[in-house]
Amino acid sequence: MEGLAELHTHLGGSVSSDILWTLAHEQGIALPVKDYWDFDRLVTVSDPRGVPDLNALDAIYHWTELIQSSPLAVEVSVHAAIGGAYRSQGITTLELRFNPMKRNRGGERDLDHIILAAIRGLDRASLEYPQVRAGLILMMDRTFTPRQNEVIVEKAIGWAARGIVGIDIAGPRPGGARYDYRQVQPMVETAREAGLGVTIHVGEEGGDMGREEIGEVLEVLRPDRIGHGILAAGDDELMRGLREAEVVLEICPTSNLLTKALADEAAVHDVFRAFVENGVRFTIATDGPEMMHTHLRDELDLLLRIGALTQEELAEANARGHDASFVRGRFRAARV
Ligand SMILES: [Zn+2]
């Protein structure tokens, strides 16, 4: 297989515990633990049985986001994540996503400084690893006000020429109620018109509500890609919609198992077979290799072992990852 492509990984889940530990100390951040191994358990999904739900995962993100809440920490994190992905996994197309507004200490730090620090990390990694095409995705959040999300998209467009390649939205549903994706439609349209890629976290969990959200996202936001989208498996109408719109799903098997979005390996198998048999496009990712204690090659091995995909189908999913990447053109792609 050629170099690997990974399109769905969060900055908060992509930096190894030892680097986060040092970053926390360098910045004098008060931690609830004094032992490195306790810290490792704090910032990763350390129990192989996973977490009870997505709220438990958000509690882990709280710590990595707090530690990454400075220009220094963001630069080190981006640089480490890109270099690590190439050295350990041979990843040559990588997109890292993060929410800059969850890293500026409630407005205390300047948002542009945070974003430019990430870009500096990207630039330094590009110098060291010219084989890697890497880009950054700025994330909106479902708990944010429309104005906050609008600011994030304005920043993404403003820094697009420097390596911001797309936008996304994630985060818990306020009050647990169905999220109204229409409220970010203007932001998504503006981003698309500016040439940014659009990927949307949807259809990861939430049963019928999650399926309704996939339908709404397809119709209203018309994204290029969808983060997860696994709830569409087996739903003929949604699978047809995804196929016809040529949306690429970014599927993260181990993450889905750890958050209980998928009950077991048999469920993972069935999701992939449903998508293959219905012509739904997808690519494989980790969601955050360090936090999930997995790596992209582990994901490919898992899918092969449980018979979810053949070697040929895996290669196809990887090639699709390179093709569906928002990182294209400009000097970065020209170097490959
Ligand atoms: Zn994700």
Side-chain angles (χ1 to χ4, degrees):
M1 208 180 273
E2 53 179 321
L4 298 185
E6 172 146 37
L7 306 186
H8 190 126
T9 175
H10 296 252
L11 186 61
S14 303
V15 178
S16 60
S17 298
D18 61 311
I19 292 177
L20 290 174
W21 178 242
T22 300
L23 280 173
H25 284 83
E26 275 175 352
Q27 301 175 93
I29 291 173
L31 296 171
V33 292
K34 292 288 175 202
D35 181 273
Y36 171 75
W37 295 109
D38 292 332
F39 175 77
D40 183 53
R41 281 186 280 279
L42 187 72
V43 295
T44 66
V45 181
S46 50
D47 189 332
R49 291 166 301 179
V51 288
D53 50 35
L54 282 184
N55 289 336
L57 195 64
D58 281 329
I60 300 176
Y61 269 115
H62 162 80
W63 286 108
T64 61
E65 285 166 352
L66 176 69
I67 293 165
Q68 290 177 341
S69 292
S70 71
L72 163 92
V74 166
E75 178 181 342
V76 168
S77 295
V78 170
H79 174 259
I82 297 171
Y86 182 68
R87 291 191 310 269
S88 121
Q89 303 294 298
I91 290 172
T92 53
T93 296
L94 180 69
E95 293 180 13
L96 275 175
R97 59 186 75 192
F98 70 102
N99 185 326
M101 230 180 254
K102 287 190 168 182
R103 287 169 174 77
N104 71 340
R105 300 183 197 246
E108 178 196 299
R109 303 293 173 107
D110 179 63
L111 214 49
D112 288 306
H113 269 72
I114 298 290
I115 296 167
L116 270 177
I119 291 170
R120 196 152 52 242
L122 178 72
D123 285 342
R124 283 177 51 217
S126 299
L127 286 167
E128 291 174 31
Y129 306 97
Q131 298 76 14
V132 182
R133 295 194 310 153
L136 302 168
I137 293 174
L138 296 193
M139 304 179 66
M140 301 182 281
D141 201 88
R142 300 202 281 197
T143 63
F144 280 12
T145 64
R147 179 57 194 150
Q148 285 176 302
N149 285 329
E150 197 174 49
V151 168
I152 290 168
V153 170
E154 286 169 8
K155 297 295 179 192
I157 293 170
W159 296 113
R162 298 289 305 276
I164 307 295
V165 296
I167 57 154
D168 179 20
I169 183 165
R173 297 178 185 87
R178 179 179 157 183
Y179 184 69
D180 177 10
Y181 281 90
R182 285 172 301 182
Q183 61 181 291
V184 293
Q185 186 186 18
M187 297 71 149
V188 167
E189 290 300 338
T190 311
R192 187 175 11 247
E193 279 163 26
L196 290 173
V198 175
T199 180
I200 300 289
H201 268 79
V202 70
E204 179 179 5
E205 42 67 63
D208 286 340
M209 182 168 71
R211 271 180 282 274
E212 282 171 27
E213 288 174 338
I214 298 176
E216 181 176 88
V217 163
L218 270 176
E219 191 187 323
V220 177
L221 302 184
R222 300 181 295 114
D224 304 293
R225 307 193 321 234
I226 279 177
H228 301 290
I230 50 174
L231 287 173
D235 184 310
D236 289 333
E237 200 183 322
L238 288 178
M239 289 193 292
R240 188 171 57 245
L242 291 166
R243 184 176 63 240
E244 287 174 357
E246 299 186 9
V247 169
V248 174
L249 304 183
E250 307 149 0
I251 308 183
C252 311
T254 295
S255 167
N256 291 155
L257 287 169
L258 289 174
T259 63
K260 316 285 194 293
L262 292 174
D264 50 28
E265 291 177 351
V268 174
H269 170 275
D270 293 349
V271 163
F272 277 93
R273 292 324 301 166
F275 287 150
V276 169
E277 282 154 23
N278 288 276
V280 175
R281 295 162 175 76
F282 56 83
T283 182
I284 318 296
T286 63
D287 221 4
E290 299 296 336
M291 187 181 287
M292 300 296 172
H293 284 289
T294 183
H295 289 95
L296 192 50
R297 288 185 190 280
D298 301 329
E299 301 299 303
L300 306 184
D301 290 346
L302 163 70
L303 296 176
L304 200 58
R305 176 171 60 75
I306 64 175
L309 294 179
T310 64
Q311 193 72 57
E312 201 175 37
E313 288 162 344
L314 280 175
E316 200 181 316
N318 187 54
R320 192 172 297 108
H322 290 294
D323 285 350
S325 172
F326 300 149
V327 189
R328 53 177 78 96
R330 300 200 196 95
F331 61 95
R332 285 175 214 286
R335 287 187 171 186
V336 176

